[in-house]
Amino acid sequence: MYLFSSGGVLRSNTISGHTNGIHLANSSPTLGANTITSNKYHGLYIGSGSIPYMRGKVAGKPPLFYAISGYNNIFENGGYEGEGEDNDGSEIYFVNSNVQMDKGCNSIYDDREPSPPLVNTELLMNCPEDGPMIEVDARYNYWGEVEITAHRFGNNMSVDFGEALSVPCLLPDGTSNETKLIVKSSAGEAADTVYAVNTEIPELTETEEAYSEAEEYFLTGNLTNALQIYESIINSTATEEEKYPAYERKYSIGKLTGQSTEYFNQLSNTFETLSSNTQDTLNKKILKQLSSLSKVGEQEYETAITQFDNIVQQNPNTEEAVYAEIDALTTALLLEEADSTLQKGRLGKYLIKSSADYNQRIDEILRKHFGSESKQNQKEILPTEFTLYQNYPNPFNPITTIKYDLPASLNPSKGGTLVNLAIYDILGRRVKVLVNEIQQAGRYEVQFDASDLSSGVYIYQLIADKYLSSKKMILLK
């Protein structure tokens, strides 16, 4: 999963069998309840200009902790045989970036013994030794069965892993706490249900309380009320650094609601001023990126392309240049679509002939700099245990996806194992059989179409060999 110049929420995904599970480039999304395992290089590659949010999120009035973010399960990635300068076996890899994950209840571990085809499983986090020092506040997370020490992190990192959890956190599912939040899109469509965490919240400042109320509005799709509160934070006496999230949300809301060019012009100027006034190099980079993206929102496409190209020219052979080139090409595609009279010589090397041309060029850049997902260059990585994952989206209407793993330990001489995946209503009556066949070891996903069923709670159950597991899902029409 690649994110370039993006935000948003990535939640309840199962990602495995790729080069990197999630690759972030100038992107700071909220990550919650994702399972990321058995990827070739890293579970999470946090590229330049990115600060993903992996803490429990405070939302509502009165404020409550919700598992919208945090509770990620990142384990047993990397360490496989193969080329690559960053193929160090680490679960999370940083390049001029950082992460917010203190009190996040994330599980980040690798307790495998390094033996062929594994070559290195010791590092949990790492970064280039020739880059800036990375300082990470990572308290209150789970690091595996082996006692966590500083040697599990790279030499160019300072990680505060204090108050490490002895067991993984259980994701709230509503069985013991009925307080919930229905996450909705800007169009009002239900996308997810998250439950409050049963924990006491320390006393919040006035600004933190305002953010808490605004976040609930934002996540439930009430963008008008959310924007009003973010504006009040921007106009308050809070410090400029405390206002950064409000500015970023203002940009996101502008994109979601299709605001005017004047709206983005003001934002672009604001981000440029904030960038000039901060001494923090990472914040400066993020703010300058938001300024350029606001130029795109302002439809000043050629200005934005020039700004991205300046980054390419000033930072040759760096990750920053790669990401800026992708941004320039993406902006050029927007310009090509917006201006049918475009003179072909205006954009030079960023000229995009068609959507197919754009896709091909982006694919070539990704393959050249970050490896390929092709079968020729990547060995299949089979699961090590049976797993039935939570369906997504949940709640759903009317289609959802169910994923499950069958481990490599299945005896090939038996031709696989009989797998049965069925749906039951809350009274235990079987309403549909999705799978009933012999299957080999591997990762599977099945779509369930509930168009002919009424709203309510349903149970899906997987039976394979001696494994049996059931999970709840909610159909909300």
Side-chain angles (χ1 to χ4, degrees):
M1 185 178 292
Y2 286 98
L3 270 71
F4 292 90
S5 301
S6 303
V9 178
L10 301 182
R11 190 173 184 277
S12 298
N13 298 287
T14 300
I15 306 172
S16 60
H18 300 280
T19 303
N20 294 310
I22 295 177
H23 184 131
L24 303 178
N26 289 330
S27 300
S28 301
T30 293
L31 304 180
N34 298 289
T35 297
I36 308 173
T37 183
S38 301
N39 295 287
K40 187 175 181 181
Y41 281 4
H42 312 286
L44 180 57
Y45 186 103
I46 308 179
S48 180
S50 304
I51 310 179
Y53 192 91
M54 295 169 58
R55 304 172 58 189
K57 185 173 286 292
V58 178
K61 187 178 182 180
L64 294 172
F65 266 125
Y66 285 95
I68 297 165
S69 49
Y71 292 85
N72 296 283
N73 194 17
I74 306 173
F75 67 101
E76 296 182 357
N77 296 280
Y80 297 96
E81 293 177 335
E83 299 297 326
E85 63 181 36
D86 66 337
N87 186 20
D88 55 19
S90 60
E91 301 300 310
I92 303 178
Y93 194 81
F94 298 82
V95 179
N96 295 331
S97 58
N98 212 305
V99 63
Q100 296 188 55
M101 62 178 297
D102 63 302
K103 301 180 182 178
C105 269
N106 300 285
S107 295
I108 303 167
Y109 60 93
D110 193 340
D111 297 332
R112 299 172 296 174
E113 291 294 330
S115 59
L118 298 173
V119 294
N120 184 7
T121 60
E122 179 178 84
L123 290 174
L124 298 178
M125 291 181 179
N126 198 17
C127 65
E129 293 196 4
D130 59 353
M133 183 78 172
I134 305 292
E135 297 183 2
V136 179
D137 188 350
R139 298 170 298 162
Y140 301 99
N141 291 282
Y142 174 72
W143 303 98
E145 296 180 0
V146 180
E147 182 180 2
I148 187 66
T149 59
H151 83 278
R152 301 299 300 272
F153 307 100
N155 295 329
N156 205 26
M157 298 195 69
S158 175
V159 180
D160 182 356
F161 50 82
E163 306 296 328
L165 303 177
S166 58
V167 295
C169 294
L170 293 177
L171 186 68
D173 60 3
T175 56
S176 60
N177 188 330
E178 295 305 318
T179 305
K180 62 183 179 182
L181 197 65
I182 305 296
V183 179
K184 298 181 180 179
S185 68
S186 56
E189 300 173 341
D192 204 354
T193 300
V194 291
Y195 296 92
V197 181
N198 187 21
T199 186
E200 184 178 346
I201 297 179
E203 186 175 351
L204 302 179
T205 65
E206 183 177 342
T207 300
E208 289 171 335
E209 289 183 351
Y211 271 120
S212 177
E213 184 178 6
E215 284 297 285
E216 181 175 29
Y217 283 132
F218 182 82
L219 292 164
T220 55
N222 190 337
L223 302 184
T224 300
N225 285 2
L227 182 58
Q228 290 177 351
I229 298 176
Y230 292 130
E231 291 276 18
S232 70
I233 294 173
I234 290 171
N235 295 321
S236 72
T237 58
T239 66
E240 287 302 327
E241 193 160 325
E242 289 174 330
K243 296 177 183 179
Y244 287 169
Y247 285 118
E248 291 180 31
R249 283 298 198 216
K250 186 174 179 179
Y251 169 80
S252 297
I253 291 173
K255 295 296 292 181
L256 289 169
T257 57
Q259 290 294 323
S260 66
T261 56
E262 290 79 8
Y263 180 98
F264 287 104
N265 175 263
Q266 182 185 33
L267 270 180
S268 178
N269 293 335
T270 298
F271 286 130
E272 189 63 38
T273 300
L274 292 172
S275 174
S276 300
N277 292 338
T278 182
Q279 300 301 312
D280 185 286
T281 55
L282 182 53
N283 281 337
K284 182 183 290 289
K285 177 174 178 53
I286 291 173
L287 291 165
K288 287 187 73 67
Q289 176 73 5
L290 286 168
S291 177
S292 296
L293 292 177
S294 296
K295 283 295 180 187
V296 177
E298 194 183 340
Q299 298 181 22
E300 291 288 338
Y301 298 128
E302 291 186 73
T303 300
I305 291 171
T306 299
Q307 292 177 349
F308 293 134
D309 186 55
N310 287 339
I311 296 174
V312 175
Q313 302 304 319
Q314 295 167 10
N315 302 273
N317 303 316
T318 65
E319 225 173 78
E320 285 86 348
V322 174
Y323 299 155
E325 183 179 3
I326 292 174
D327 282 330
L329 290 170
T330 304
T331 307
L333 176 64
L334 295 173
L335 177 55
E336 176 76 16
E337 293 174 345
D339 185 359
S340 60
T341 65
L342 179 67
Q343 297 177 14
K344 297 302 182 182
R346 275 164 52 187
L347 299 184
K349 62 182 178 181
Y350 298 116
L351 174 65
I352 295 296
K353 301 176 183 177
S354 64
S355 296
D357 178 43
Y358 169 80
N359 291 334
Q360 180 179 348
R361 292 178 67 174
I362 296 300
D363 184 64
E364 289 173 354
I365 292 172
L366 295 180
R367 289 178 183 276
K368 177 180 178 181
H369 295 280
F370 302 113
S372 170
E373 295 287 305
S374 68
K375 293 181 179 179
Q376 179 180 358
N377 295 319
Q378 184 177 18
K379 297 178 181 179
E380 183 182 12
I381 303 171
L382 294 176
T384 58
E385 60 185 3
F386 287 102
T387 306
L388 176 64
Y389 298 102
Q390 186 64 51
N391 66 300
Y392 66 90
N394 188 41
F396 66 99
N397 177 28
I399 297 176
T400 189
T401 299
I402 299 171
K403 288 189 174 185
Y404 58 92
D405 291 348
L406 304 179
S409 57
L410 291 177
N411 190 342
S413 64
K414 295 181 180 180
T417 191
L418 177 63
V419 176
N420 181 272
L421 178 63
I423 310 295
Y424 298 85
D425 65 19
I426 197 65
L427 298 178
R429 296 174 296 197
R430 187 170 63 190
V431 298
K432 190 166 292 189
V433 176
L434 301 181
V435 178
N436 187 32
E437 62 184 32
I438 300 292
Q439 291 184 332
Q440 301 287 344
R443 296 183 168 84
Y444 295 85
E445 64 177 71
V446 180
Q447 280 199 332
F448 170 44
D449 188 342
S451 300
D452 57 342
L453 299 177
S454 58
S455 296
V457 177
Y458 291 85
I459 308 296
Y460 59 101
Q461 183 181 78
L462 177 69
I463 301 175
D465 200 21
K466 298 179 181 180
Y467 177 80
L468 185 152
S469 181
S470 303
K471 291 185 181 293
K472 293 190 300 184
M473 58 183 172
I474 301 173
L475 173 60
L476 188 62
K477 291 187 174 180

